[in-house]
Amino acid sequence: MEPRFQAAFKAMEDLEKGSIANPDEGRMVGHYWLRNSKLAPKPTLKTLIENTLDSICAFSDDIISGKVSF
């Protein structure tokens, strides 16, 4: 079983570093980067994630404060 475990750990490490997870679509899998943007393999991805989260938080604050209503 040890070789299978090592292969699984290596595959996970590769995914975390930005390897292509779906060759048909040519995309990385990075949903876990949303929980920790420091794990993003590229500085541009880290910045995009942080900016988006900042925008969501600001919008949420505006709703809570009553600045925005529906």
Side-chain angles (χ1 to χ4, degrees):
M1 291 292 290
E2 181 67 24
R4 290 183 182 181
F5 280 120
Q6 292 307 319
F9 292 140
K10 173 71 172 125
M12 187 62 183
E13 181 181 328
D14 291 345
L15 285 175
E16 290 174 352
K17 290 181 179 176
S19 70
I20 302 300
N22 186 340
D24 294 340
E25 296 178 8
R27 293 191 302 173
M28 298 180 280
V29 174
H31 54 274
Y32 47 88
W33 302 330
L34 300 176
R35 292 187 291 274
N36 184 356
S37 63
K38 293 179 183 113
L39 295 175
K42 299 177 183 177
T44 54
L45 290 173
K46 178 181 180 288
T47 300
L48 285 170
I49 291 166
E50 290 172 351
N51 290 346
T52 299
L53 291 174
D54 289 344
S55 295
I56 291 168
C57 288
F59 181 64
S60 299
D61 289 342
D62 287 347
I63 291 171
I64 292 167
S65 71
K67 192 185 278 187
V68 173
S69 62
F70 297 96

